[in-house]
């Protein structure tokens, strides 16, 4: 029912939504360490969106598949829209604790993974499944990075290297 193009577009939208939420939160918080986390996460979401934009399929679509793709994309857009899952803009902006910022970011990554795993069950195309699995692995990498940050605390000197 869903094509690689559908998956790509919805992944890009989810990443854009996350990037926007993190950037707005980075502007709203007063703690420099929390601002740095949110800015780093926004940059990561942007980078992921750019990476997802490169996902393509070499298989031409039949007329029926093109119609299904159109319906699938519309359905996914309605499901996701401006969705940020557990990322609550006000909660992010009001964050004052380093570990809370990491926890909120980790919860968003976990929600994103669950959504992508849901989509995985709706996809029959093996190439699309493989590419979505790659997306899921990238989101899991984010979680590991956030866990590493929680070990070093607010004194992490360079979050991008973790």
């Amino acid at each position: 029912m869903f094509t690689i193009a559908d998956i790509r577009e919805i992944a890009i939208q989810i990443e854009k939504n996350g990037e926007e939420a993190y950037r707005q939160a980075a502007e709203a918080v007063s703690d420099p360490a929390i601002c740095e986390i949110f800015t780093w996460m926004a940059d990561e979401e942007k980078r992921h969106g750019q990476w997802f934009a490169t996902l393509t399929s070499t298989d031409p679509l039949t007329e029926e598949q093109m119609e299904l793709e159109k319906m699938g994309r519309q359905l996914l857009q309605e499901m996701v829209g401006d969705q940020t899952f557990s990322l609550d803009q006000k909660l992010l902006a009001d964050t004052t604790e380093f570990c809370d910022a990491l926890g909120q970011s980790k919860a968003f990554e976990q929600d994103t993974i669950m959504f992508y795993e849901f989509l995985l069950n709706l996809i029959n195309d093996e190439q699309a499944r493989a590419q979505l699995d790659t997306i899921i692995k990238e989101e899991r990498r984010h979680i590991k990075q956030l866990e590493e940050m929680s070990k070093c605390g607010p004194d992490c000197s360079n979050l991008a290297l973790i």
Side-chain angles (χ1 to χ4, degrees):
M1 180 174 174
F2 298 112
T3 65
I4 290 173
D6 295 328
I7 302 306
R8 180 187 61 237
E9 293 305 313
I10 204 61
I12 290 169
Q13 186 64 51
I14 289 170
E15 299 299 330
K16 281 182 181 179
N17 295 348
E19 177 190 358
E20 183 178 323
Y22 282 125
R23 291 218 189 277
Q24 289 176 6
E27 291 176 11
V29 298
S30 58
D31 184 312
I34 294 172
C35 179
E36 187 177 1
I37 290 170
F38 290 157
T39 300
W40 178 79
M41 286 300 298
D43 292 345
E44 284 294 292
E45 299 301 320
K46 181 178 181 178
R47 186 179 64 78
H48 281 176
Q50 291 168 338
W51 181 77
F52 295 147
T54 67
L55 299 179
T56 59
S57 174
T58 56
D59 297 335
L61 298 178
T62 66
E63 191 171 319
E64 180 183 356
Q65 289 171 321
M66 284 189 274
E67 188 60 33
L68 286 173
E69 178 182 57
K70 182 181 174 184
M71 290 181 345
R73 185 174 298 127
Q74 186 174 15
L75 173 66
L76 288 172
Q77 285 299 330
E78 289 172 9
M79 287 172 64
V80 174
D82 60 357
Q83 180 63 253
T84 55
F85 303 114
S86 61
L87 268 187
D88 180 301
Q89 188 62 46
K90 179 164 176 21
L91 188 61
L92 281 177
D94 292 343
T95 301
T96 58
E97 298 295 323
F98 184 81
C99 61
D100 290 343
L102 294 176
Q104 290 175 56
S105 297
K106 186 176 172 182
F108 174 65
E109 297 303 312
Q110 290 168 331
D111 288 348
T112 303
I113 290 168
M114 284 192 326
F115 181 74
Y116 290 153
E117 286 174 339
F118 164 76
L119 289 180
L120 198 59
N121 293 317
L122 302 175
I123 299 171
N124 295 327
D125 180 276
E126 285 305 312
Q127 184 181 10
R129 288 180 61 82
Q131 292 202 17
L132 184 54
D133 190 53
T134 300
I135 292 169
I136 291 168
K137 287 177 184 170
E138 181 72 2
E139 297 300 337
R140 286 190 177 126
R141 186 182 65 78
H142 255 173
I143 290 173
K144 287 181 182 174
Q145 289 175 300
L146 291 165
E147 289 169 348
E148 287 299 314
M149 285 181 216
S150 68
K151 290 177 187 174
C152 71
D155 296 326
C156 289
S157 60
N158 191 345
L159 299 176
L161 295 177
I162 292 178

